[in-house]
Amino acid sequence: MFPGTGPDGNGMPVAFKSQEQWLNAVQLNGCGNCHQLGDKATREFPTALEASKGSSIDAWTRRLQSGPGGGTMVRTIGTLNTSDGGHIRRLADWTDRIRAGELPRAVPPRPNGVERNLVVTIYDWLSAKYYIHDLTLTDRRKPTVNAFGPIYGAAELSTDDLPILDPVKITKTTVKVPVREQDTPSSALANPVVAPSPYFGTEQVWDSKVNAHNPMMDQDGRVYYTAQSRSPKNPPRYCFAESGHPSAKIYPLTGKPDGFVQNSRQVTVYEPKSKQFTFIDTCFGTHHLNFGEDANHTLWLSNNLQNELAIVGWVNTKMFWQTRDAGKSQGWTPLIVDTNGNGKRDAWVEPNQPDDPAKDKRIGLGFYGIAYNPVDGSIWGSNIGHPGYVLRLQPGSNPPETALTEVYRVPLPGYGMRGFDIDRRGIAWVTLASGHIARFDRGKCKGRLNGPGAAEGNLCPEGWTFYPLPGPSFAGRDGAAEAPYYTWVDQHDILGLGANTPIGTGNFSDSLHALAYGKVVELRVPYPMGFFAKGVDGRIDDPKAGWKGRGLWVTSGNRTPMHIEGIDAPTPGAPGKTLSSPLVVHFQLRPDPLAH
C-alpha cells in the first residue's frame, strides 16, 4: 500500500511514504510510546469493553476512547486510518486470531549464558492510579553519590505527589512538588476522560500541574526535575530581547509561532537535606537533561520541540547556586549547521529557505535525548522525526554565538528513534523501532562533515553499525518487532557486563537489551509480565561488596500500570479486586547462576 496516495488512490494516508514510517508510528512514536502491545490487557478485552454483538471492531473502537489517554489514542488511530477499514480492523483481526488459538511463529528461548546470572528484584511503587515515567538515584558522572540513599521518581502527567523509594528500609513515600504560580495549568485540561475506563470509570486519574518528566541528580545529591512551575504564558522579563540577555538578543524565543505557549516545563530542584524546593525559571522548554563534566557543572537540556522553537538550553548550576540568578545562569542556542563550510558560525537561512553559499542554515530538528561527550565536551542528542537523526552540538567559546550543529540521519535498515546516550569514548548509541541497537561513530566518517548538504544529514553513512535485537520479527525484516523506548550506556560498568555497555529498553519483551560479548544479551523480567522500561539509572552503593553492592534501577513506566499481568483487574466499583501499582526493578549480575 506504500507510498500513501490518499483515499482516492491506494487508501493509505498520504503522510505515510513507506512501511518503515507506518511501523514507527505503530510501534514506538505512537502507540508503543505509552504502553505494551501484545500483553494480556491488549490481546483480550475486559468485560466492560466487549460490544453487545461481540464485534472486535466495536470493542477496539470503544477501547481507544477509554480514560484520560483516550484523546491521544483516538488521534493516533486517526492518522493510521485507511480506506479498507483502517488499523482498527487489523487490530480486531489480530485479537480474533488470538482468541481462536493462534500463537506467535517463534517460541522465546530460555535464558542462556550470562543471562542466567541475572538477579531481578521488583519493588512496588506509588499507587495503582498513577504511573511513573523516570527516576534518579545518583550522579551519572560519579555513581557512588547518594549510596544506599533514596530513589526519586517522576510521575509526568499523572500526579504532583512524586514517589520516593528507600531501598534499604523498603518503604515508599511521596513528596508533593509545588508550583510557583497558582494559574499553572493541570494535565487534566489537555487529557479529559473521553469515555469511562474499565479500571477507574470516569475518574480523572491524570491531574498534575508539575508534569515532572525526567529527574537528574548532581554531585551534592540535589534532584533536578524537568517540571512545570508556572503558566507558559508568563515568561520572565529576561527572556525578551530588550532585556539584553545574550541568548535572547541572538535568538529571542518571543514572537515565534505560539510564542511561549509550548514552554510547558522549566526546572524544579529538590534538596533532600533541607527538604526545600527551588525553581529555575527557563525561557526555553525542558524535556531531558544531563550534566556536563566541566567546572561549572553545566546542566544541558533538550526540549523535544521542532521548527522555530528547536533549541538546546543550559544552566550554569555553579553560578546559579552562588547567585540564585536564573536569568544570568542560563542560555540557549538555535541549531545552526555550517553549510557554507568555512568552519565557523555565520548568519543563517531558515529551514524552509534555499541554501545560500555565503550563509549557514538553521535546522528545525529539536533534541529529544541529550548527552554530554566526555571526550571533547560536545553535546549529543536524538531527534525523533522519521526516520530519526543523531545531532551533535559543538558549543564553542561562547555558545549563543558560536555553537554549531552536525546532523546524521539514520540510514536503512534503521528507523524509529527515541532515547539516546553516549559512551566515554564518544560513540553514540540508540535503539530503534526497526529492532536494532545502532552505533554511530563519528571517527569513522571519511569525508567532509560540513558544507553543502550537511543539513540533510547524509554525509556519513559509514559511521553507522546495526545490531539486530532478539525476538520475533516482521516478515522480510532482520530486526525484532520491538518498541525500544530508551537507551542508557553503562559508562562505569555498574551492572558487570563491561564499561561502556549500551543498554536499550525492550518495551514489547519485558526486558532490557544489552550489547555485550559481541552479541545482544537479553535481561528479562520473568514475573509479573508487563514490565515496560522507561527510566534507567545505575548506582554503586559499596565498591567493595562485589555484585551485591551495585546494580541498575529501572522504572516500569507504562502509562497503564493496571495492565501488568498476574494482578486482578477490576471493573469500576467491584469490591475485593486489586490493581498493580507501578514497579521499579533492580537488576544485578552474579558471577555465576548459583552464586550466593
Side-chain angles (χ1 to χ4, degrees), residues 236-239 245-246 278-282 314-331:
R237 191 187 65 82
Y238 51 75
C239 296
H245 190 287
T278 303
F279 303 117
I280 304 178
D281 197 347
T282 58
W314 60 87
V315 176
N316 178 334
T317 62
K318 180 180 179 181
M319 178 186 292
F320 176 78
W321 293 115
Q322 289 175 344
T323 66
R324 302 286 176 141
D325 190 324
K328 291 183 179 179
S329 301
Q330 71 179 272

Side-chain angles (χ1 to χ4, degrees), residues 423-438:
D423 67 24
R424 299 201 67 78
R425 302 163 297 183
I427 297 172
W429 296 92
V430 290
T431 36
L432 301 171
S434 57
H436 299 86
I437 294 178

Side-chain angles (χ1 to χ4, degrees), residues 481-515:
E482 257 286 16
Y485 174 83
Y486 216 77
T487 309
W488 185 84
V489 175
D490 187 357
Q491 296 183 353
H492 304 283
D493 193 21
I494 295 171
L495 182 62
L497 290 174
N500 296 313
T501 296
I503 297 173
T505 59
N507 292 72
F508 284 0
S509 59
D510 294 0
S511 67
L512 301 178
H513 300 297
L515 182 62

Side-chain angles (χ1 to χ4, degrees), residues 376-424:
D376 62 6
S378 56
I379 309 303
W380 289 68
S382 56
N383 176 272
I384 62 177
H386 186 76
Y389 302 82
V390 163
L391 307 171
R392 175 183 183 267
L393 180 83
Q394 186 63 56
S397 59
N398 182 23
E401 296 181 352
T402 59
L404 281 170
T405 303
E406 297 169 3
V407 187
Y408 302 101
R409 185 178 189 267
V410 61
L412 289 174
Y415 63 85
M417 188 180 298
R418 206 164 183 94
F420 170 91
D421 206 0
I422 200 163
D423 67 24
R424 299 201 67 78

Side-chain angles (χ1 to χ4, degrees), residues 130-215:
Y130 311 121
Y131 70 92
I132 296 177
H133 186 277
D134 223 324
L135 83 170
T136 189
L137 51 137
T138 191
D139 184 343
R140 174 74 188 277
R141 303 161 296 180
K142 185 180 179 182
T144 54
V145 169
N146 193 41
F148 296 107
I151 300 170
Y152 300 89
E156 203 185 42
L157 300 172
S158 57
T159 179
D160 293 340
D161 295 319
L162 301 192
I164 301 175
L165 177 74
D166 186 323
V168 176
K169 297 179 181 178
I170 314 182
T171 56
K172 61 176 186 177
T173 56
T174 60
V175 58
K176 188 172 185 63
V177 179
V179 293
R180 195 185 67 190
E181 300 176 3
Q182 292 311 304
D183 65 344
T184 303
S186 167
S187 62
L189 298 174
N191 299 278
V193 175
V194 178
S197 157
Y199 309 100
F200 302 111
T202 58
E203 183 179 357
Q204 175 53 269
V205 293
W206 292 358
D207 187 3
S208 172
K209 290 187 174 183
V210 173
N211 192 12
H213 180 263
N214 189 200

